[in-house]
């Protein structure tokens, strides 16, 4: 992984999530892993074009339902929640590219892809895993890795 771009992406994702939510965030240390990724209950993948990285956002459905209520004022479930989680990932990735653009790094994003149940990534490349705990909402995970 290109260390500089990797760090810029990670820092920009952190800022994007922090700016989106009114609740305080507890971010544990970033963990580098080459273990396969198994998504929790719901996950979304977005690729950053002009780079070799993608972002995966995953967590439990109830956490994303609470997150939708905090962001959009509505507790969502079912297909509405699937769409909402894709939009949340799209907002995070879009803000990330805006922050990077202000630093001279030109990236764009692909449309979000909802991950199927029991989907996992067997890639042997190292992945950056960033667990985030959102006060009164719950825990989500952001994973940055080379495109699969």
């Amino acid at each position: 992984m290109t260390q500089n771009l990797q760090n810029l992406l990670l820092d920009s994702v952190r800022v994007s999530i922090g700016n989106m939510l009114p609740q305080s965030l507890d971010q544990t240390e970033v963990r580098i892993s080459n273990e396969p990724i198994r998504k929790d209950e719901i996950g979304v993948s977005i690729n950053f074009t002009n780079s070799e990285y993608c972002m995966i956002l995953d967590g439990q459905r109830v956490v994303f339902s609470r997150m939708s209520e905090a962001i959009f004022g509505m507790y969502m479930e079912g297909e509405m929640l699937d769409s909402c989680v894709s939009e949340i990932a799209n907002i995070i990735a879009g803000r990330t590219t805006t922050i990077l653009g202000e630093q001279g790094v030109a990236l764009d994003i692909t449309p979000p892809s909802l991950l199927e149940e029991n989907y996992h990534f067997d890639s042997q490349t190292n992945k950056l895993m960033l667990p985030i705990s959102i006060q009164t909402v719950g825990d989500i995970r952001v994973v940055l890795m080379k495109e699969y």
Side-chain angles (χ1 to χ4, degrees), residues 59-128:
Q60 295 179 338
R61 286 183 168 276
V62 67
V63 173
F64 283 109
S65 290
R66 290 185 203 127
M67 200 172 181
S68 73
E69 188 172 35
I71 297 169
F72 304 113
M74 184 174 165
Y75 188 92
M76 296 184 201
E77 297 176 306
E79 289 180 9
M80 285 291 293
L81 180 61
D82 292 348
S83 178
C84 181
V85 173
S86 293
E87 185 57 27
I88 289 170
N90 198 43
I91 292 168
I92 293 168
R95 286 185 179 173
T96 297
T97 60
T98 299
I99 292 168
L100 290 172
E102 292 168 356
Q103 298 176 37
V105 179
L107 298 180
D108 203 353
I109 57 173
T110 62
S113 297
L114 195 63
L115 301 177
E116 302 290 328
E117 277 189 44
N118 300 320
Y119 194 90
H120 66 278
F121 298 87
D122 286 323
S123 175
Q124 294 300 315
T125 61
N126 286 339
K127 296 165 276 302
L128 295 176

Side-chain angles (χ1 to χ4, degrees), residues 13-27 57 63-74 84 88-89 91-92 95 131-142:
V13 165
R14 285 177 170 159
V15 170
S16 297
I17 294 171
N19 288 340
M20 185 171 48
L21 292 161
Q23 292 87 349
S24 64
L25 306 178
D26 291 326
Q27 301 173 28
L57 179 67
V63 173
F64 283 109
S65 290
R66 290 185 203 127
M67 200 172 181
S68 73
E69 188 172 35
I71 297 169
F72 304 113
M74 184 174 165
C84 181
I88 289 170
I91 292 168
I92 293 168
R95 286 185 179 173
I132 298 175
S133 183
I134 306 164
Q135 185 179 22
T136 72
V137 172
D139 299 335
I140 61 171
R141 182 177 63 169
V142 176

Side-chain angles (χ1 to χ4, degrees), residues 37-39 56-58 129-131 139-143:
I37 298 171
R38 299 193 190 285
K39 73 174 193 66
I56 298 159
L57 179 67
D58 71 357
M129 297 189 185
L130 175 62
D139 299 335
I140 61 171
R141 182 177 63 169
V142 176
V143 179

